[in-house]
């Protein structure tokens, strides 16, 4: 591939990851309006992420077999199309049950999209994969920077339904077009010959299992923040819809910065060290944001540091996982995606219960504990190829 081709592929894959973001951004930002319109509670809407995660977990595991039978590009286009159907249906929902059903499509789309994007890293040379993935993942964060004020602005003018769909649907449609036009039709190397053989290889590799455990735990704080942060900013920090949307943009800028810098961090101290350190620092920072009464500017700064470190973690832990079982990458990355979705589901359930029972202070303490366990797991039991 030429350098120009590589840049187009990176742009198409960045749009693909970006397509998984608008729905959860809109849910977090517009949750107060949605709860009123659908006569639901904040913990109830938080469980939409649980419904999404259950489907995404099942879909991600199934991807280990699907990637052996269908070309990655076709699977990626199918996944993004499911995301488009999900966001349209969710915005038109008139009840909580309908919204759950359309969030299932969101889970299907995500379970197809993210593992394929990670698997397509094999299109890049080994020493460029962390940097490439950082740029690809930053597409979601940079898009979310625009998403929060645009969604807030549209919702303020035309209502939450227009805000929910007004940014996400055009973005997802553009992703379908870009992937169709720019991602090559080739099969990626390293696919599994036998699915069960791939599972056995992963299960017998202690470092691979530690990567999966860390993937489930390390982003728990960040994943639940994505659901509850809008409510925290508006109800606890006292920010208006417009101000909260701008403050959330700072969060996504920080994530993008962390993702882009992940390659530089990994080059300096290694992928493994970057992963466990960013998990630890991110957990402590988000604990300060939620559980310590800081002035608003300092709270936003703590949030930015925590989410920036989460951006670094999500990038380096994926490249760490990719090289654990080189001849079973399809299975490994599918299981890694399933582990991340499992962590997202459990963190939302735990977060919703903690907020209802202990408030955001208790929520922060519980999520910090999970982050500490994840950091120890990466440090003690993973190896870097």
């Amino acid at each position: 591939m030429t350098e120009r081709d590589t840049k187009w592929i990176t742009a198409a894959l960045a749009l693909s990851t970006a397509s998984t973001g608008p729905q959860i951004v809109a849910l977090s930002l517009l949750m107060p309006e949605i709860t009123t319109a659908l006569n639901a509670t904040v913990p109830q809407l938080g469980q939409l992420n649980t419904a999404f995660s259950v489907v995404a977990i099942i879909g991600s595991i199934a991807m280990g077999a699907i990637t052996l039978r269908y070309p990655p590009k076709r699977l990626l286009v199918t996944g993004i199309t499911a995301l488009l159907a999900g966001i349209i249906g969710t915005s038109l929902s008139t009840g909580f049950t309908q919204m759950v059903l359309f969030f299932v499509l969101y889970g299907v789309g995500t379970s197809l999209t993210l593992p394929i994007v990670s698997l397509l890293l094999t299109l890049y040379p080994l020493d460029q994969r962390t940097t490439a993935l950082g740029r690809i993942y930053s597409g979601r964060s940079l898009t979310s920077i625009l998403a929060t004020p645009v969604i807030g602005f549209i919702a303020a003018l035309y209502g939450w339904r227009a805000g929910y769909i007004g940014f996400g649907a055009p973005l997802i449609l553009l992703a379908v077009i870009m992937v169709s036009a720019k991602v090559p039709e080739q099969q990626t190397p390293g696919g599994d010959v036998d699915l069960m053989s791939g599972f056995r290889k992963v299960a017998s590799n202690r470092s691979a299992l530690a990567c999966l455990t860390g993937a489930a735990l390390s982003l728990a704080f960040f994943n639940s923040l994505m659901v509850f942060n809008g409510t925290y900013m508006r109800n606890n920090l006292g920010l208006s819809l417009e101000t909260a949307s701008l403050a959330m943009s700072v969060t996504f800028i920080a994530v993008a910065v962390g993702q882009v810098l992940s390659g530089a961090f990994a080059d300096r101290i290694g992928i493994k060290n970057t992963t466990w350190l960013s998990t630890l620092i991110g957990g402590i920072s988000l604990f300060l944001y939620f559980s310590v009464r800081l002035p608003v500017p300092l709270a936003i700064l703590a949030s930015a540091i925590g989410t920036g470190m989460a951006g670094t973690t999500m990038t380096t832990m994926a490249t760490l996982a990719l090289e654990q079982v080189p001849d079973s990458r399809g299975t490994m990355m599918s299981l890694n995606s399933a582990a991340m979705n499992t962590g997202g589901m459990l963190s939302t359930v735990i977060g919703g219960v903690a907020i209802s029972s202990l408030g955001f202070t208790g929520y922060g303490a519980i999520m910090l504990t999970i982050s500490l366990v994840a950091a120890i797991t990466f440090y003690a039991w993973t190896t870097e190829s």
Side-chain angles (χ1 to χ4, degrees):
M1 294 188 300
T2 66
E3 183 178 354
R4 180 181 176 86
D5 291 335
T6 301
K7 289 180 179 179
W8 278 115
I9 291 171
T10 301
L13 296 181
L15 281 171
S16 300
T17 60
S19 296
T20 65
Q23 185 138 316
I24 198 68
V25 173
L27 176 65
S28 178
L29 182 62
L30 302 175
M31 192 172 286
E33 286 77 14
I34 298 174
T35 55
T36 300
L38 302 186
N39 194 28
T41 65
V42 169
Q44 269 186 313
L45 288 186
Q47 299 319 309
L48 287 173
N49 195 52
T50 303
F52 145 75
S53 297
V54 169
V55 175
I57 291 164
I58 297 171
S60 295
I61 295 173
M63 282 295 294
I66 295 173
T67 54
L68 303 180
R69 294 169 173 81
Y70 299 99
K73 179 176 178 178
R74 186 188 305 176
L75 293 173
L76 189 55
V77 170
T78 302
I80 300 170
T81 302
L83 293 172
L84 181 62
I87 197 169
I88 291 173
T90 304
S91 69
L92 298 176
S93 297
T94 57
F96 177 71
T97 301
Q98 291 178 5
M99 187 167 274
V100 170
L101 293 175
F102 282 110
F103 242 75
V104 167
L105 274 179
Y106 175 43
V108 171
T110 300
S111 69
L112 286 169
T113 300
L114 294 182
I116 292 298
V117 169
S118 296
L119 192 57
L120 286 171
L121 282 180
T122 52
L123 293 170
Y124 300 86
L126 179 61
D127 61 348
Q128 297 178 17
R129 288 175 185 172
T130 299
T131 299
L133 188 60
R135 292 171 178 170
I136 291 166
Y137 277 0
S138 69
R140 174 172 177 168
S141 304
L142 291 171
T143 302
S144 297
I145 295 168
L146 296 174
T148 47
V150 172
I151 290 171
F153 178 76
I154 295 174
L157 289 179
Y158 304 109
W160 73 267
R161 295 182 190 278
Y164 200 98
I165 196 175
F167 181 87
L171 172 71
I172 297 171
L173 183 60
L174 177 61
V176 172
I177 295 171
M178 282 289 291
V179 169
S180 299
K182 298 301 181 181
V183 174
E185 293 280 0
Q186 66 191 63
Q187 293 279 358
T188 56
D192 304 319
V193 175
D194 175 66
L195 177 61
M196 294 311 299
S197 173
F199 280 122
R200 287 191 294 270
K201 289 176 182 177
V202 173
S204 64
N205 187 316
R206 188 187 72 171
S207 180
L209 293 176
C211 283
L212 296 178
T213 303
L217 299 176
S218 61
L219 295 179
F221 218 152
F222 177 75
N223 288 331
S224 59
L225 173 142
M226 293 296 293
V227 175
F228 300 116
N229 195 30
T231 300
Y232 179 74
M233 283 185 170
R234 294 177 65 184
N235 293 350
N236 292 68
L237 297 184
L239 304 183
S240 67
L241 172 60
E242 293 78 10
T243 304
S245 66
L246 293 174
M248 288 177 69
S249 294
V250 174
T251 296
F252 294 118
I253 291 172
V255 175
V257 171
Q259 290 166 332
V260 171
L261 292 178
S262 61
F265 293 151
D267 289 341
R268 182 172 292 272
I269 64 173
I271 296 174
K272 171 182 172 175
N273 286 335
T274 301
T275 302
W276 76 261
L277 277 172
S278 60
T279 300
L280 177 63
I281 296 170
I284 293 171
S285 299
L286 292 178
F287 168 76
L288 294 174
Y289 172 61
F290 281 109
S291 298
V292 178
R293 290 184 177 274
L294 298 173
V296 171
L298 290 179
I300 299 302
L301 175 61
S303 171
I305 293 172
T307 53
M309 289 296 95
T312 297
T313 299
M314 71 177 65
T315 303
T316 56
M317 75 177 186
T319 52
L320 185 65
L322 186 67
E323 300 307 321
Q324 295 300 311
V325 191
D327 56 347
S328 298
R329 285 194 177 105
T331 299
M332 181 64 196
M333 297 317 293
S334 296
L335 291 174
N336 192 66
S337 180
M340 291 176 64
N341 287 318
T342 300
M345 176 186 69
L346 293 177
S347 67
T348 304
V349 173
I350 294 170
V353 172
I355 291 168
S356 297
S357 304
L358 305 172
F360 279 100
T361 300
Y363 158 76
I366 291 172
M367 290 299 160
L368 172 61
T369 302
I370 295 174
S371 297
L372 293 175
V373 173
I376 292 170
T377 300
F378 281 126
Y379 176 79
W381 293 296
T382 64
T383 57
E384 181 176 346
S385 301

